Amino acid sequence: MLPTTSLTSRDQGNGSLNSREAARHTAGAKRYKYLRRLLHFRHMDFEFALWQMLYLFTSPQMVYRNFQYRKQTKDQWARDDPAFLVLLSIWLCVSTIVFALVLGLGFVETIKLLLWVVFIDCIGVGLLIATLMWFVANKYLIKHPGRDYDVEWGYAFDVHLNAFYPLLVILHFIQLFFIHYIIMQDSFIGCFIGDTFWLIAIGYYIYVTFLGYNALPFLKNTVILLYPFALLVLLYVVSLAMGWNVTKALCIFYKYRVK
């Protein structure tokens, strides 16, 4: 899950890793260690994962600064502790159930919505975005192509999870307090508030994603990852001009999908 395969200073004595060190640093070995820790809850640092979730809202730069510290101490950028993933999964399930209650869905419909949100909205879309970002970063953003630097797919997915969490809280929690009484009403103010929630949520997703790739010192021109902001604002203005309430449309879509 390392975003870079560069050699550390302790490995540069003879210019290559010895066989034991090489085995420990392979992507397969790291993936096996990460997945194995999913079965040992007492070995996970949930307190630190909660700290990361808090700072993804208040100061996301601090979260990625910690990623840099991990690279210095453990020679690994991506998380080696699945506590964040576990807490995110729990929050995703709980918020989706509450969202289903707000929409007035039954038990079976709630289960269908939960499966849709987990496997399509989070995992499916996440895999697609992570793969796209992994390709773009390695194809166009590497400072010195051909050297032993690359953004691995695992780190790209880790960045997606960081950016997805604030979006989830904004759309699946904060927005719920406004759905019935304001957003779902046939009025401009309902359209304005609903679309503004989407503007903030997706805008924050773009920003946190930018910070994730900007933290990697071997990438260049990462500012281009902020360019989608312009398209986002344009779509926001167009949706208000057309009176298209995105939240209301998505609620109707979800109700249609689970029936």
Side-chain angles (χ1 to χ4, degrees):
M1 296 177 66
L2 283 173
T4 172
T5 56
S6 60
L7 300 178
T8 60
S9 58
R10 67 176 181 274
D11 299 319
Q12 291 176 349
N14 59 2
S16 62
L17 293 170
N18 59 51
S19 58
R20 180 175 298 180
E21 286 294 312
R24 288 177 56 247
H25 283 76
T26 62
K30 292 179 182 296
R31 182 168 57 249
Y32 171 76
K33 180 181 178 181
Y34 184 88
L35 294 176
R36 186 179 61 181
R37 293 189 66 177
L38 282 172
L39 303 177
H40 301 85
F41 283 86
R42 286 184 292 181
H43 296 169
M44 299 183 195
D45 191 349
F46 290 106
E47 182 178 353
F48 181 63
L50 287 172
W51 174 89
Q52 289 183 315
M53 288 182 166
L54 173 62
Y55 272 82
L56 281 172
F57 277 102
T58 60
S59 182
Q61 299 91 336
M62 288 290 295
V63 176
Y64 286 112
R65 192 171 303 166
N66 177 264
F67 276 55
Q68 294 173 340
Y69 295 154
R70 183 182 296 110
K71 172 61 179 176
Q72 296 172 3
T73 58
K74 298 183 179 181
D75 194 27
Q76 180 168 336
W77 288 88
R79 293 184 180 93
D80 58 346
D81 185 349
F84 185 91
L85 177 61
V86 172
L87 291 181
L88 177 62
S89 301
I90 294 174
W91 176 253
L92 178 62
C93 293
V94 172
S95 64
T96 301
I97 292 174
V98 175
F99 190 77
L101 292 176
V102 172
L103 293 180
L105 301 181
F107 177 77
V108 175
E109 294 170 337
T110 299
I111 297 300
K112 291 180 179 179
L113 177 63
L114 181 62
L115 293 176
W116 178 276
V117 171
V118 171
F119 292 103
I120 303 298
D121 292 352
C122 182
I123 298 179
V125 175
L127 294 176
L128 180 63
I129 294 177
T131 301
L132 176 63
M133 294 302 301
W134 165 79
F135 174 79
V136 171
N138 284 310
K139 184 71 173 180
Y140 302 106
L141 302 182
I142 298 292
K143 286 183 180 179
H144 305 289
R147 296 191 180 182
D148 291 331
Y149 296 98
D150 72 300
V151 180
E152 291 194 2
W153 186 92
Y155 181 77
F157 190 71
D158 216 5
V159 171
H160 162 72
L161 294 181
N162 289 343
F164 181 77
Y165 172 70
L167 180 148
L168 175 67
V169 173
I170 294 171
L171 297 180
H172 273 220
F173 178 66
I174 301 177
Q175 185 179 220
L176 296 183
F177 294 98
F178 300 86
I179 284 186
H180 272 317
Y181 300 104
I182 301 179
I183 297 178
M184 297 297 287
Q185 303 300 318
D186 293 326
S187 64
F188 175 78
I189 189 65
C191 178
F192 172 76
I193 292 179
D195 291 358
T196 300
F197 269 114
W198 279 90
L199 173 69
I200 296 173
I202 298 178
Y204 212 84
Y205 181 96
I206 294 172
Y207 177 63
V208 174
T209 299
F210 158 73
L211 292 178
Y213 292 94
N214 191 56
L216 300 179
F218 53 88
L219 296 185
K220 63 180 180 180
N221 300 327
T222 53
V223 70
I224 66 173
L225 300 180
L226 294 175
Y227 289 178
F229 265 122
L231 178 60
L232 177 63
V233 173
L234 176 62
L235 291 175
Y236 172 72
V237 173
V238 170
S239 67
L240 291 181
M242 296 177 57
W244 182 38
N245 190 326
V246 178
T247 299
K248 187 175 181 179
L250 264 294
C251 288
I252 296 174
F253 170 76
Y254 279 131
K255 286 185 176 181
Y256 170 78
R257 290 299 307 176
V258 299
K259 290 183 178 180

